[in-house]
Amino acid sequence: MALLALIIALLIEQYLHKDTKELNQKVSHRRWFSKYQQKMDAWFGEQTWYPKWIGQAVVLLAPVLIVYWIFAWYQHDWWFHGGLLGSLFMLALAVAVLVLCLGPESPRKSLKAYYKARAEHQEEDAKRSAIPFIGEANSEAATTVDELDQAVSKTIFRKAQSRYFAVVIWFTLLGPAGALLYRLTNWYLETNPSEGFVYKLNLVLEWIPARVSALAYLLAGDMGTGVKKVKGDFLDFDVEGLSFVEQAGFASLGFYEEDDARGPSRWALKLSERAGVLIFAFAALFSLLGLGLY
């Protein structure tokens, strides 16, 4: 069922990306989590334990444990009594969690305006279009078109990891609760970037799938060059997950046609999509062998 849920969720993602009203931004959005945090603050804000790591754990883990309990209850009890309708309901719930956690959009769609400006040789428009993707700081640090495109290339690996690859890997390993846990830690740290419980948990949740994705990039790209550059950091717990993915992806990029005016980011985009196919194959194999918790 995990493989089927993943296939359906990815197909829905493709549909949402084609929607001109950007329905995917409304579906894969943290708005509900922000309202949930506000409610928790209103209920427990005056408690002495709430500002500490216990409060962070309660806010973060409550939705995850609810999802985990529903699927655990289904597997142990309802599996025998729910029948076809029960199975379809649980499949729909798994797909809903995945669609909520994936995205909000693919790097290819995020860079559509950037590549259009590059094709028309509108460098200022290209830089302006890239800011929402790479961030203001990276945009200001890029003084030339080549530097800008290199920043775009590295960000492609980060965004593909946080928006899709890590979610798929945790869904494969721990089921819908794992995918939701990863996404909620990301959302929480967007507004609470403190080095508390959630920050440390996120380091673990980023570190593990980063190594899986790095292997996918090495297999899909220039393995010889990539292995030389990342082998020393592969098991280093001090190397943060997204940084390692960026390093592995860019190292695996290998040679690209330097006379291609579109720059290396086009090749980085294609490499990330090939790595995505390998990660999906890993998820399919894991699911067929029944090795995950879902």
Side-chain angles (χ1 to χ4, degrees):
M1 188 180 291
L3 179 59
L4 182 58
L6 190 56
I7 293 173
I8 294 174
L10 290 174
L11 289 175
I12 292 175
E13 275 289 296
Q14 289 299 313
Y15 164 73
L16 294 179
H17 292 163
K18 295 178 181 178
D19 191 272
T20 56
K21 297 180 181 179
E22 295 190 355
L23 179 61
N24 60 305
Q25 293 284 357
K26 298 178 182 178
V27 176
S28 300
H29 199 275
R30 55 159 294 160
R31 188 179 295 111
W32 72 269
F33 186 64
S34 298
K35 292 181 180 179
Y36 161 71
Q37 284 181 289
Q38 292 171 4
K39 284 289 185 183
M40 295 294 282
D41 291 343
W43 290 342
F44 304 110
E46 296 182 357
Q47 302 295 323
T48 57
W49 54 266
Y50 187 73
K52 302 176 183 178
W53 70 268
I54 300 176
Q56 294 184 18
V58 169
V59 171
L60 184 70
L61 297 180
V64 175
L65 291 176
I66 291 173
V67 171
Y68 173 79
W69 177 82
I70 292 173
F71 282 91
W73 168 66
Y74 166 74
Q75 290 178 344
H76 288 89
D77 297 315
W78 205 20
W79 174 268
F80 301 101
H81 308 293
L84 178 61
L85 290 179
S87 298
L88 291 176
F89 173 76
M90 299 308 293
L91 175 63
L93 183 58
V95 170
V97 172
L98 264 177
V99 172
L100 181 71
C101 295
L102 292 170
E105 64 182 11
S106 66
R108 182 175 289 276
K109 182 176 181 181
S110 297
L111 293 170
K112 186 176 181 180
Y114 168 75
Y115 287 124
K116 184 176 184 294
R118 286 293 305 275
E120 296 173 353
H121 304 288
Q122 301 292 331
E123 296 182 5
E124 287 300 320
D125 289 344
K127 189 170 186 176
R128 201 159 35 245
S129 301
I131 290 176
F133 188 72
I134 66 175
E136 190 77 37
N138 289 329
S139 175
E140 292 177 356
T143 58
T144 65
V145 175
D146 291 338
E147 289 179 355
L148 176 66
D149 204 65
Q150 284 208 5
V152 170
S153 301
K154 294 178 179 179
T155 308
I156 285 172
F157 299 125
R158 283 179 169 264
K159 296 293 187 182
Q161 179 70 10
S162 61
R163 293 180 180 181
Y164 292 97
F165 296 171
V167 173
V168 170
I169 292 169
W170 280 120
F171 178 81
T172 303
L173 297 176
L174 300 180
L180 184 61
L181 178 62
Y182 173 78
R183 181 54 68 224
L184 293 188
T185 59
N186 282 198
W187 284 344
Y188 188 94
L189 291 175
E190 284 180 10
T191 54
N192 303 275
S194 59
E195 295 193 7
F197 168 77
V198 181
Y199 176 82
K200 293 177 181 178
L201 177 61
N202 184 253
L203 290 178
V204 177
L205 294 176
E206 294 285 10
W207 194 93
I208 295 174
R211 272 59 193 175
V212 178
S213 298
L215 290 175
Y217 280 117
L218 293 174
L219 291 171
D222 186 346
M223 179 177 285
T225 303
V227 169
K228 290 179 182 178
K229 292 185 177 181
V230 304
K231 63 180 181 180
D233 295 333
F234 193 85
L235 296 178
D236 191 343
F237 286 92
D238 292 329
V239 179
E240 185 261 339
L242 291 180
S243 297
F244 184 74
V245 168
E246 175 189 309
Q247 177 187 352
F250 203 73
S252 302
L253 192 58
F255 174 77
Y256 69 93
E257 296 179 10
E258 295 185 0
D259 60 346
D260 188 344
R262 297 173 298 183
S265 66
R266 283 279 192 176
W267 298 78
L269 193 60
K270 293 178 181 179
L271 176 60
S272 69
E273 291 170 347
R274 292 199 301 270
V277 173
L278 292 178
I279 290 174
F280 182 81
F282 157 78
L285 179 62
F286 222 76
S287 176
L288 292 173
L289 293 176
L291 298 177
L293 294 185
Y294 173 54

